[in-house]
Amino acid sequence: MLSLGESSTVEFKRCGNGFEADTYETVCSFSNRFGGTILCGVQDDGTVIGLPDSNTTSMVRNFITVLSNPNLFQPTLALDPEVIFYKGKTIIAIHVPVSAEVHSYKHVVYDRVGDCDIRSVSTSNLADMYIRKRNVFTEQKIYEYVGLEDLRPDLISLCRKRAVNKRSDHPWKNLDDLELLKSARLYAKDYETGKQGLNLAAVLLLGRDEVIGSICPAYKTDAILRKYNVDRYDDRETISTNLIDSYDRLIAFSHKHLWDKFCLENDQTISLRDIIVREMVSNILIHREYSSTFVARFVIENTHMYTENACRATRQEQLTPENLVPVSKNPIIASFFSTIGNADELGSGTRNLFKYSKLYSGKCPTMMEDDIFKLDVPLDDSYSYAIGRQGGSFVGEKAPAYLTSNQRKIVAAMASDGSVTAARLSEIVGISTRKVEENIRTLRESGIIRREGSNKSGRWVVL
């Protein structure tokens, strides 16, 4: 902790004159965020100065007294500070767990943002905090007065068809609409209140637009293109319909404005763009906190594209394949999307995102989990997944492993000399002219190369 420094979950305090107000503010902010550890007797730079041994007992006693005083902490807290002897000096370590409630100190609610304790005064910040503290999923809320007539039967039929297309013996094939909804946990019973009926997940997935607008008036997703008019936008689509149509419309928006690039995988041609956008779109729709008024966004710019959505965060940090612990924010919606083929299993989609983003732009995405979840994917229209580009020149050894060795040599030769002939390629690669032509055909069908001009006087272009 000393070497890593202060963070969203670590704080250093000198405490030369005992515990002061800022220590209790940090206790409050840690409780309201994701918990953390306060090391007392340590300077901001991590230097241990220690505390007087004669003071530690009274400091701990006073600390516990303040936390248990309802006039200072509301609700009160019960923590057990730990006295630590480190390299001949005394430190008090305060381990603060995340609380199930929202706490205030001297009638002020504090939140942890980075390594700072921030006063939460705005209604939206406080609302986000209460959302984070909930122990129930918003999608499970039952609406007794929503009936089958408030859902779109054509969408139910469409989703049944997609589930059967994905798996021919899927049980939805022979279920009527109500049985399908029950099977998908969209029609359920709340065993705490006794209410029974369609839940919020059913309304969001399959509801009529006017029903969705009545139950979630702030719900919408902005799709924005901002490449030339960076102060405003070049194209924009505001989507406030069901999640099935929202998914399709967001995918269509990406097709309209993003370059498509392909690669060969297990002898199959796959679209890198579609894999990446599919994960981004499913993430913004599945793992979103629908009780929040924050407007979700899918934005495409010159150097990157990103999504932002309200999130009931379980931690505050940048996510990577190494530290990823999959937690579904809306398990019913996630399961439904997976069943109809709109999303991968939890966790696998994220790993694919990192894998294929590197092929699409040569760079890795970034994912930041917080009250507002942000997923950022780099873009580089000049980058070729088939052969890397550095400083405007192609580098053959950067060709990735899904191309065969012979194909990499052919692409590198074409990048160096667009007028190279099949006979010359046969000499360079060391295979027959017929084999060269077969590989060229595969590369052309995969979108890796194209021919400009006639067969005799034209040139090869590496895309």
Side-chain angles (χ1 to χ4, degrees), residues 179 295 437 444:
E179 289 173 329
V295 177
E437 291 171 346
R444 294 182 75 173

Side-chain angles (χ1 to χ4, degrees), residues 142 181-182 185-190 195-199:
I142 301 292
L181 295 172
K182 289 181 177 179
R185 295 181 292 163
L186 301 180
Y187 187 100
K189 180 179 180 179
D190 187 330
K195 291 182 179 180
Q196 184 171 313
L198 294 167
N199 53 28

Side-chain angles (χ1 to χ4, degrees), residues 94-224:
I94 304 168
H95 304 289
V96 185
V98 59
S99 175
E101 300 181 88
V102 175
H103 294 267
S104 65
Y105 171 62
K106 291 185 177 181
H107 310 292
V108 177
V109 175
Y110 291 90
D111 197 6
R112 187 74 173 179
V113 178
D115 59 356
C116 299
D117 303 317
I118 305 297
R119 288 172 173 248
S120 291
V121 293
S122 72
T123 303
S124 61
N125 287 347
L126 291 172
D128 289 340
M129 195 175 296
Y130 279 99
I131 288 170
R132 197 165 61 238
K133 300 293 184 180
R134 285 180 179 165
N135 58 1
V136 296
F137 293 102
T138 309
E139 64 170 357
Q140 295 177 338
K141 183 177 180 180
I142 301 292
Y143 289 87
E144 291 182 283
Y145 301 108
V146 174
L148 283 176
E149 68 278 5
D150 297 308
L151 305 184
R152 283 178 46 186
D154 62 311
L155 279 180
I156 300 176
S157 298
L158 174 65
C159 292
R160 180 188 286 109
K161 182 179 180 180
R162 289 183 177 180
V164 172
N165 286 342
K166 185 179 177 185
R167 178 183 147 196
S168 60
D169 62 342
H170 199 282
W172 287 5
K173 183 176 184 178
N174 300 314
L175 298 181
D176 63 31
D177 288 354
L178 182 58
E179 289 173 329
L180 185 153
L181 295 172
K182 289 181 177 179
S183 171
R185 295 181 292 163
L186 301 180
Y187 187 100
K189 180 179 180 179
D190 187 330
Y191 288 95
E192 183 176 352
T193 64
K195 291 182 179 180
Q196 184 171 313
L198 294 167
N199 53 28
L200 179 60
V203 173
L204 290 169
L205 284 164
L206 306 168
R208 299 181 184 276
D209 288 357
E210 60 272 18
V211 180
I212 296 173
S214 176
I215 291 176
C216 295
Y219 156 68
K220 66 177 180 179
T221 305
D222 267 349
I224 299 170

Side-chain angles (χ1 to χ4, degrees), residues 319-378:
L319 303 182
T320 66
E322 289 73 29
N323 70 1
L324 179 67
V325 180
V327 178
S328 179
K329 308 302 190 297
N330 294 302
I332 297 174
I333 295 175
S335 175
F336 196 91
F337 262 52
S338 178
T339 299
I340 65 175
N342 281 8
D344 296 316
E345 292 183 10
L346 192 62
S348 62
T350 301
R351 288 186 287 273
N352 282 338
L353 183 65
F354 277 83
K355 173 184 176 181
Y356 293 109
S357 179
K358 191 69 179 291
L359 301 181
Y360 190 66
S361 66
K363 301 174 185 176
C364 289
T366 57
M367 304 173 68
M368 187 67 186
E369 179 163 5
D370 203 343
D371 290 337
I372 302 302
F373 185 96
K374 185 168 182 178
L375 168 56
D376 193 300
V377 175

Side-chain angles (χ1 to χ4, degrees), residues 276-451:
I276 294 168
V277 171
R278 179 172 178 262
E279 177 60 22
M280 296 181 73
V281 169
S282 62
N283 183 80
I284 198 176
L285 298 178
I286 292 175
H287 301 299
R288 181 167 167 184
E289 179 49 57
Y290 285 97
S291 63
S292 172
T293 58
F294 183 85
V295 177
R297 301 184 185 94
F298 174 44
V299 182
I300 300 173
E301 298 184 348
N302 280 305
T303 59
H304 67 143
M305 58 179 168
Y306 64 90
T307 58
E308 292 179 329
N309 60 276
C311 175
R312 191 176 67 174
T314 58
R315 51 183 170 168
Q316 183 189 45
E317 68 175 313
Q318 185 169 314
L319 303 182
T320 66
E322 289 73 29
N323 70 1
L324 179 67
V325 180
V327 178
S328 179
K329 308 302 190 297
N330 294 302
I332 297 174
I333 295 175
S335 175
F336 196 91
F337 262 52
S338 178
T339 299
I340 65 175
N342 281 8
D344 296 316
E345 292 183 10
L346 192 62
S348 62
T350 301
R351 288 186 287 273
N352 282 338
L353 183 65
F354 277 83
K355 173 184 176 181
Y356 293 109
S357 179
K358 191 69 179 291
L359 301 181
Y360 190 66
S361 66
K363 301 174 185 176
C364 289
T366 57
M367 304 173 68
M368 187 67 186
E369 179 163 5
D370 203 343
D371 290 337
I372 302 302
F373 185 96
K374 185 168 182 178
L375 168 56
D376 193 300
V377 175
L379 294 177
D380 184 354
D381 292 343
S382 68
Y383 180 84
S384 169
Y385 53 85
I387 187 164
R389 183 188 289 271
Q390 291 183 340
S393 61
F394 288 97
V395 186
E397 60 268 20
K398 288 177 68 67
Y402 54 78
L403 292 178
T404 67
S405 174
N406 289 339
Q407 289 168 350
R408 289 199 297 272
K409 292 176 183 177
I410 291 172
V411 171
M414 289 178 173
S416 300
D417 178 11
S419 60
V420 66
T421 64
R424 176 60 182 146
L425 287 171
S426 174
E427 296 175 3
I428 294 172
V429 180
I431 58 178
S432 67
T433 304
R434 183 178 61 83
K435 287 291 185 181
V436 167
E437 291 171 346
E438 289 178 359
N439 280 290
I440 289 176
R441 183 164 55 251
T442 299
L443 293 169
R444 294 182 75 173
E445 291 172 352
S446 302
I448 294 174
I449 60 172
R450 73 161 179 255
R451 184 74 175 178

